Amino acid sequence: MRGQARSVSADMREPVAARCAIGPGHGPLLPLVQGGHSSAPPRQAGATLKCRSRCHQSSSLGETTTMHNAGATTTTHSCLSPRLPHTAAAGTGCRGQKTSWFGRSGSGTWSHVRPIPEARPVWSWRAEDATDASRRTKKSPSAGSGVLRARPPISTSHKLLLASFLVLVGLLAPAECGNPDAKRLYDDLLSNYNKLVRPVVNVTDVLTVRIKLKLSQLIDVNLKNQIMTTNLWVEQYWFDYKLIWEPEEYGGAKMLHVPSDHIWRPDIVLYNNADGNFEVTLSTKATLHMNGLVEWKPPAIYKSSCEIDVEYFPFDEQTCVMKFGSWTYDGFQVDLRHLDEIEGTNVVDIGVDLSEFYRSVEWDILEVPAVRHEKFYTCCDEPYLDITFNITMRRKTLFYTVNLIIPCMGISFLTVLTFYLPSDSGEKVTLSISILISLHVFFLLVVEIIPPTSLVVPLLGKYLIFAMILVSISICVTVLVLNVHFRSPQTHKMAPWVRRVFIHILPRLLIMKRPQYQLKHSSSLKSEFKSMTDGPFSTTCRIHGSTNIHEDAYTLEDADKSPTFRPFQHNLPHCSPEVHRTCWCVNFIAEHTRLKEDSTKVKEDWKYVAMVLDRLFLWIFTLAVLVGTAGIILQAPSLYDDRVPLDKLLSDVYRQQRLNV
C-alpha cells in the first residue's frame, strides 16, 4: 500500500476540481472516450495507477472517500467540524464541501465525485514538472473528442482569503444554531404531539379554559348599521399535561415560545360577530410554562353586532355585548371561565382589562362586567357555556351640543321675534316662513346623523319636530294678527267683549299702557269745532236773528248726492247768500272731519287689539319654547349621571398622557 500510495503521489500531480455529474446539481460530467477510458494520452511505462475515483457515501458518520488504485483500494472517512468547517473532524455530521486534486491515467475513467475544501487537501501532491505539464496539455491522438485541461494552481493569497472566510463562518456558526437546549426541548415536546386531540388524561375529564379581554381601542360604534368595532386581545389560559418538562434537563429553560398552530387550542369564537371572521385571524406564538400552563394572547379586531337604543340621542348610553364561547366543545369537555372569576359566582365586575386602553373621542366607558352563562338546548343534555362581556358606554355630548342642539334652539327662539316685529313692517310672514325653511334644511342635515329606526323617535328628532310645529303655528297666528290689524269700521264692528277684554283687561295683565295723546287731540278738535259753530259762521246770525239753513236749503246728504253745487234759493233779508253758503260749507267740513276722526279711532282700536295679541303670543311662544326645550332635552337620563368613566380611572395610557401634559 505504501508503494502504491507513493506511485499515486508521483503520478497524480494535477489539481482538478471535480464534481459529481449524476443527478441535478452535482456538477458537470467529465468527458469519457470509447470503452469508458479517458481521452488523455497513456502514461509512461512503470506507472502502477490504472484508474482512480472517489466515491462519496452519505452516512451519519461523515463522508466515505474511496481510492481505487492498481491492485488496492483505500477508503478514508472524513468530515468537517460544524464549528470549524476548515478542519477535519471524524464522526461528525457537519456540512461542507471538499475539493480533491486529481490526475488521470491512460486507462482510467473519471468518476463522479464531490468537492472538498482546497484549503485542507486530503493528500499532498508534489509540484508538477514542466514535462508532465506539457504532456497533459497536448491533445491525445487517439481521443475522439474533447480535451481535459488542467486548472491553474491556487495562489497563496487566495488560500489565505478562503481560510479567513472559513474561520469567520466557524465563529458565526454557534449564533446561527441558536439555543440548543431550547431546540431540544421543542423537539421533545412536539415531536409526537397531536394538536387535534384535547389535552386531557381521560376522555371524560373536563379541561378548564380561562379567558379575559384586554381592550385596546374602541374604534367605532356605527349607529346606522348597529355594529361596534373594537381592537382587543383575547387572553386564553389552559393546562396541557403533554407540555410539562423538568427545567434541569434542558439547561434551566422554564418557558418556551412556540407557534400556536403547532399545539391544541380551544376554538373560542365571537358568537355575535357581524363580520366574516368569527375567530382570531392572527396566529401569534403561544407561551409554554414548565408546569404545563399555556398562555395565548392573540390580538384581534372584532366587529360585533350591538343593539342601539337611540331614544335619547345624542344624550344616550349604549350597552354592547360581546359573547365568547367554544364552537365545538360543550360544557362537559371544556369548562369556560373568566380569569378573575371568584369561586361561587358567575359575575365579574371588571371583566375587561382597560390598562392599555386608548380613550375614545366620542364614548366614555362606564361599566365592563363579565357574566358566565350555561345554556341548555332541548336537543342535548350537556350545557353550552359562554362568557358575555357587557360594555356600557356614555356618549360625549360636546360635539352634538355645539353643532346640533344650540343651532336648533337658536332657530326655535327666532320664532318669538316674529311676534315682536310690528305688523306695519310687512315682514312678519316672511320671517316666519324663512324660519320654517331653515328648520327643514337643518332637519335634512340631521337625518344623516340620526340612526334610521322606526322603533322610537330620537330625542333630537323630537326637538326638531317640536320646533317645526311651533314655527308652523306661529305662521298661522301671524296671519290672524295681521287680519285684526288691518280691520276698519267699514268692514268690521268691534264687539263689546272684544273691547273690554283686549283693550281694558289684557293690557294691564301684559304690562301694556296705551298712550293718551290721541284723546287730548280729539277734545281739542271738539272745542275748536264748537267755537267755530258758535262764532260768526254759525247758523244763527247775531244781527238778523236765527236762520235755519237746513229748512229751505238742500241738506248735506243732498249735496253729497248732487254732483254740482246748487245755489241757495232763499232770500235772506240782511245776509248775502254767499255768507250763508260759506257757513254751511264750513259746517260740512267740520262734520266730515268728525266722522273721519271716529273712523280713525276705531281703526286704532283694532290695531291696538292686534298689538295686544302680538304681545300675548310673544309670551305664550316664549314660554312654549322654554318649556318644550327643557321638557325634551332634560329628560335624557345621561344628563344626571355623574359616574366617573372607568377608562379615566384604569387606563395607564390616559394617566401617562396627563403626566406628559
Side-chain angles (χ1 to χ4, degrees), residues 405-422:
I405 302 299
I406 293 179
C408 189
M409 292 177 61
I411 295 175
S412 301
F413 276 100
L414 288 178
T415 308
V416 178
L417 299 179
T418 304
F419 302 102
Y420 196 76
L421 188 68

Side-chain angles (χ1 to χ4, degrees), residues 321-481:
V321 300
M322 301 184 71
K323 186 177 180 181
F324 287 90
S326 178
W327 189 262
T328 304
Y329 303 102
D330 54 52
F332 293 155
Q333 295 174 332
V334 172
D335 185 12
L336 189 62
R337 294 187 177 275
H338 195 276
L339 180 63
D340 301 331
E341 181 179 337
I342 302 176
E343 189 68 26
T345 178
N346 293 331
V347 180
V348 180
D349 294 334
I350 302 179
V352 179
D353 188 2
L354 299 177
S355 60
E356 302 293 335
F357 178 72
Y358 291 87
R359 297 193 65 197
S360 174
V361 297
E362 187 177 1
W363 299 93
D364 287 329
I365 306 297
L366 299 180
E367 296 178 357
V368 283
V371 183
R372 178 177 178 270
H373 297 100
E374 295 183 4
K375 189 172 183 179
F376 290 88
Y377 294 94
T378 57
C379 65
C380 311
D381 297 333
E382 60 274 3
Y384 287 88
L385 309 178
D386 67 82
I387 295 181
T388 302
F389 297 88
N390 301 298
I391 302 177
T392 302
M393 303 169 291
R394 181 178 60 199
R395 189 188 301 273
K396 297 179 181 179
T397 59
L398 179 61
F399 172 81
Y400 297 95
T401 301
V402 173
N403 296 282
L404 294 180
I405 302 299
I406 293 179
C408 189
M409 292 177 61
I411 295 175
S412 301
F413 276 100
L414 288 178
T415 308
V416 178
L417 299 179
T418 304
F419 302 102
Y420 196 76
L421 188 68
S423 300
D424 292 331
S425 64
E427 300 293 336
K428 292 174 70 71
V429 178
T430 304
L431 178 61
S432 300
I433 294 177
S434 300
I435 295 173
L436 183 62
I437 293 175
S438 62
L439 274 177
H440 276 285
V441 174
F442 191 76
F443 188 78
L444 292 177
L445 298 177
V446 174
V447 165
E448 300 295 331
I449 304 176
I450 297 178
T453 176
S454 300
L455 301 177
V456 66
V457 180
L459 188 70
L460 185 58
K462 292 179 182 178
Y463 188 72
L464 287 175
I465 293 175
F466 164 76
M468 286 191 293
I469 293 176
L470 204 64
V471 173
S472 301
I473 295 177
S474 69
I475 294 176
C476 299
V477 173
T478 302
V479 173
L480 177 62
V481 171

Side-chain angles (χ1 to χ4, degrees), residues 236-286:
Q236 306 176 35
Y237 304 85
W238 69 92
F239 282 92
D240 194 335
Y241 78 98
K242 294 182 290 186
L243 301 178
I244 300 176
W245 72 90
E246 293 295 334
E248 294 78 9
E249 300 179 0
Y250 298 95
K254 298 181 180 180
M255 185 177 60
L256 182 65
H257 298 281
V258 299
S260 59
D261 293 336
H262 296 177
I263 63 174
W264 179 89
R265 296 178 305 182
D267 52 347
I268 305 298
V269 298
L270 179 64
Y271 285 162
N272 59 328
N273 185 32
D275 199 3
N277 298 321
F278 282 80
E279 59 183 2
V280 177
T281 56
L282 180 60
S283 298
T284 58
K285 289 188 176 182

Side-chain angles (χ1 to χ4, degrees), residues 539-548 574 580:
T539 57
T540 301
C541 185
R542 295 180 180 180
I543 299 175
H544 302 93
S546 176
T547 303
N548 191 0
H574 301 288
H580 286 279

Side-chain angles (χ1 to χ4, degrees), residues 107-118:
S107 60
T109 58
W110 291 94
S111 63
H112 307 286
V113 297
R114 295 174 60 184
I116 61 175
E118 294 180 359

Side-chain angles (χ1 to χ4, degrees), residues 21-266:
I22 298 179
H26 291 279
L29 180 64
L30 299 180
L32 301 177
V33 295
Q34 300 167 353
H37 294 282
S38 172
S39 59
R43 291 185 176 273
Q44 298 176 358
T48 58
L49 179 62
K50 297 301 181 182
C51 67
R52 185 193 56 186
S53 63
R54 299 188 60 197
C55 302
H56 292 269
Q57 301 174 358
S58 299
S59 64
S60 60
L61 297 179
E63 296 179 349
T64 302
T65 303
T66 305
M67 296 179 53
H68 299 276
N69 296 329
T73 300
T74 302
T75 302
T76 304
H77 298 276
S78 63
C79 182
L80 298 180
S81 172
R83 296 183 179 271
L84 298 175
H86 60 286
T87 61
T92 59
C94 60
R95 299 168 298 177
Q97 289 185 345
K98 299 181 179 181
T99 305
S100 60
W101 296 71
F102 284 94
R104 61 181 178 274
S105 62
S107 60
T109 58
W110 291 94
S111 63
H112 307 286
V113 297
R114 295 174 60 184
I116 61 175
E118 294 180 359
R120 187 190 57 80
V122 180
W123 299 284
S124 58
W125 310 100
R126 65 177 178 84
E128 62 180 1
D129 52 4
T131 306
D132 294 336
S134 61
R135 182 173 59 243
R136 281 192 298 271
T137 55
K138 291 181 181 180
K139 185 176 181 181
S140 175
S142 60
S145 62
V147 177
L148 288 177
R149 298 184 179 275
R151 190 181 62 182
I154 299 178
S155 62
T156 306
S157 61
H158 288 82
K159 292 181 180 180
L160 292 177
L161 181 61
L162 181 59
S164 302
F165 173 74
L166 294 177
V167 170
L168 181 61
V169 172
L171 293 177
L172 296 179
E176 294 179 356
C177 295
N179 189 353
D181 295 328
K183 182 180 183 304
R184 185 164 51 90
L185 175 60
Y186 177 83
D187 294 337
D188 293 345
L189 290 178
L190 301 180
S191 58
N192 296 322
Y193 188 88
N194 189 354
K195 65 179 181 179
L196 302 178
V197 179
R198 190 167 52 98
V200 290
V201 179
N202 298 321
V203 181
T204 57
D205 292 345
V206 180
L207 178 63
T208 302
V209 177
R210 296 184 179 274
I211 68 171
K212 185 179 181 180
L213 299 184
K214 176 180 283 188
L215 186 60
S216 176
Q217 185 181 6
L218 183 62
I219 299 177
D220 182 35
V221 178
N222 194 331
L223 302 182
K224 187 174 183 179
N225 298 324
Q226 298 190 359
I227 295 177
M228 179 182 67
T229 306
T230 53
N231 181 10
L232 46 84
W233 299 356
V234 186
E235 300 182 358
Q236 306 176 35
Y237 304 85
W238 69 92
F239 282 92
D240 194 335
Y241 78 98
K242 294 182 290 186
L243 301 178
I244 300 176
W245 72 90
E246 293 295 334
E248 294 78 9
E249 300 179 0
Y250 298 95
K254 298 181 180 180
M255 185 177 60
L256 182 65
H257 298 281
V258 299
S260 59
D261 293 336
H262 296 177
I263 63 174
W264 179 89
R265 296 178 305 182

